[in-house]
Amino acid sequence: MVAGLGAVTLTGATTLTTTNNNISFGSTIGNSSAQNLTFNTGSGTVSVTGAVGSGTALGTITLTQTGGTTFSSTVNAATVTLTNTTGTITFNGALTATTLNTAAAGYNVAINAGGTITNAVTFSNTGTVTLGDASGDSVTFTGGVTATAPSQVNLAGTVQSTNTAISLGDSDTPVVLTANTTLSGNTSGNITLGGTVNGGFTLTLNTTGTTTLSGVIGGSNALTSLTTNTGGTVAINTTAITTTGAQTFGENATLGADLTLTSNSSGNITFGGTVESTTSARALTINTSGTTTFSGTVGATLPYLASVTTNSGGTTAINGGSVRTTGTQTYGDAVTLGANTTLTGTTITNSSTIGGGGYSLTISGNSVINGAISNATSTSISGTTSLGASVTTTTGGQTYSGAVTLTASPTLTAPSGTILFSSTVDGGKTLTVTN
């Protein structure tokens, strides 16, 4: 073992070789003219306590073969190359490098204290990759970063690029949050999470490019919250996202699969833009006792959505003016309208109240009314109506174009409009009409 080395200044290219013995530096490693430094210790470990290249960056640092390497302070080099090594390569101080190369071998890489790598980085190691170990850490991959070969990607703090792509995880590479995490394309780099994402922390995704979510999120350990910023598009290609708190999709969203969104602790689920299907119509199910908000249109263009379902409890705010599905729409919680609204589908069911908010409600399809509708300017239903609750309109009328079946004894009130039945009304219940 080589141990207790004090401050070292490199005056030329240096290779340190042992036969499976450890090397330990108790202080700094510096140079005056970008010298190269190579470690080859077999199964022996390397430990450097002080800063490396703090005054003048080293040229190339190469770990040819070690049993694990720990840099306890900052590392500054033009190039860092990890080749046929084992164990964990740990950077506990900020890593600053123009280029980071990682060979395909079963070692782990841990960049725990942030830093900046200028050129695009592809992690080829098949062990784990750790980017940050606390929420205050920040690492910048100026040219972008890809980590799909490692066995797992651990995230904490901020991971950002500069208008370049961030691609983390795939079907064989899960992503695990170990602290509150922000991924930023800064500003337009695409962000792709290709595998599952778990961890009881917040996840914020900021880019004006495309954010792609491919794997189940929060399936085994629910996230605290999930937020995407405004601008760009979020492509939700997974089947399920689970959080304990809020889910906020600030930009337009596309669904690439049938999707269930769940907040276990009454978190609000908000779509800040439009919601559309890709390729074929997708089913959207939302489970929360908080507020579900649709700020933009839902299923406005082909292939529309297949269905929309919200659970009981909480509120659904339909503020975008229209929801269109090829199948059913089922609103288990109270609904509020924030614009003149058209709901288009095979059957539209409201199990709780609909507060019209002074806007009109048009249902294109069959309707099952199990909760009272109030404060809508007017209502119009093109298909059949199963009428199990009262309907009150303010300035306009009510139109029932299809057959009406009473499942309770409701009251229809339209003080300033006409109530029109274009087909039969039956059901053996009492119907009260006031206008």
Side-chain angles (χ1 to χ4, degrees):
M1 177 177 180
V2 180
L5 295 175
V8 172
T9 300
L10 305 180
T11 59
T14 301
T15 299
L16 300 177
T17 302
T18 70
T19 303
N20 302 323
N21 290 315
N22 302 335
I23 296 178
S24 176
F25 290 85
S27 188
T28 60
I29 301 176
N31 69 169
S32 59
S33 58
Q35 301 298 328
N36 298 334
L37 175 61
T38 300
F39 293 100
N40 190 356
T41 60
S43 61
T45 62
V46 175
S47 175
V48 182
T49 301
V52 177
S54 61
T56 300
L58 270 63
T60 299
I61 299 174
T62 302
L63 303 180
T64 302
Q65 176 66 61
T66 75
T69 300
T70 300
F71 296 98
S72 297
S73 187
T74 58
V75 174
N76 186 11
T79 301
V80 175
T81 298
L82 313 179
T83 57
N84 186 26
T85 191
T86 58
T88 300
I89 312 304
T90 303
F91 299 90
N92 284 327
L95 171 61
T96 302
T98 302
T99 301
L100 173 62
N101 300 315
T102 60
Y107 58 92
N108 308 318
V109 178
I111 302 175
N112 288 334
T116 301
I117 296 93
T118 304
N119 293 332
V121 174
T122 297
F123 287 97
S124 300
N125 60 301
T126 54
T128 63
V129 166
T130 298
L131 304 177
D133 64 359
S135 59
D137 293 333
S138 180
V139 59
T140 300
F141 296 91
T142 306
V145 58
T146 300
T148 56
S151 59
Q152 181 170 298
V153 178
N154 303 312
L155 299 177
T158 299
V159 178
Q160 61 185 342
S161 67
T162 303
N163 299 317
T164 49
I166 297 174
S167 179
L168 305 175
D170 62 11
S171 58
D172 296 317
T173 303
V175 173
V176 175
L177 308 183
T178 61
N180 294 338
T181 299
T182 297
L183 304 181
S184 175
N186 196 25
T187 55
S188 61
N190 295 336
I191 297 173
T192 300
L193 295 175
T196 61
V197 181
N198 287 286
F201 299 96
T202 64
L203 177 60
T204 302
L205 307 172
N206 293 332
T207 182
T208 57
T210 299
T211 298
T212 302
L213 307 175
S214 299
V216 172
I217 297 176
S220 61
N221 188 3
L223 277 59
T224 301
S225 64
L226 175 64
T227 304
T228 72
N229 68 333
T230 58
T233 301
V234 55
I236 307 175
N237 298 332
T238 182
T239 57
I241 299 175
T242 302
T243 56
T244 56
Q247 298 178 31
T248 303
F249 304 97
E251 65 246 275
N252 294 338
T254 63
L255 308 184
D258 293 342
L259 174 65
T260 299
L261 303 178
T262 302
S263 172
N264 293 329
S265 298
S266 305
N268 298 333
I269 297 179
T270 302
F271 287 95
T274 61
V275 182
E276 299 290 345
S277 299
T278 60
T279 309
S280 61
R282 311 297 185 179
L284 175 61
T285 302
I286 300 178
N287 297 323
T288 182
S289 54
T291 299
T292 298
T293 302
F294 296 107
S295 301
T297 58
V298 178
T301 60
L302 283 169
Y304 313 124
L305 266 63
S307 62
V308 172
T309 304
T310 69
N311 68 334
S312 60
T315 303
T316 296
I318 303 176
N319 298 333
S322 71
V323 179
R324 183 165 186 169
T325 56
T326 58
T328 62
Q329 297 176 36
T330 303
Y331 301 96
D333 49 9
V335 174
T336 63
L337 306 183
N340 294 332
T341 299
T342 299
L343 306 179
T344 303
T346 54
T347 300
I348 315 299
T349 300
N350 65 292
S351 299
S352 186
T353 59
I354 297 179
Y359 298 101
S360 64
L361 173 61
T362 301
I363 294 176
S364 180
N366 301 323
S367 178
V368 177
I369 300 174
N370 289 327
I373 301 174
S374 62
N375 200 33
T377 56
S378 62
T379 59
S380 176
I381 300 169
S382 68
T384 63
T385 299
S386 173
L387 187 57
S390 298
V391 179
T392 301
T393 53
T394 56
T395 60
Q398 300 176 30
T399 300
Y400 302 89
S401 297
V404 175
T405 302
L406 305 181
T407 60
S409 297
T411 298
L412 304 182
T413 304
S416 300
T418 299
I419 298 176
L420 175 64
F421 299 96
S422 299
S423 186
T424 59
V425 179
D426 58 32
K429 305 290 184 179
T430 300
L431 175 63
T432 302
V433 176
T434 303
N435 68 337

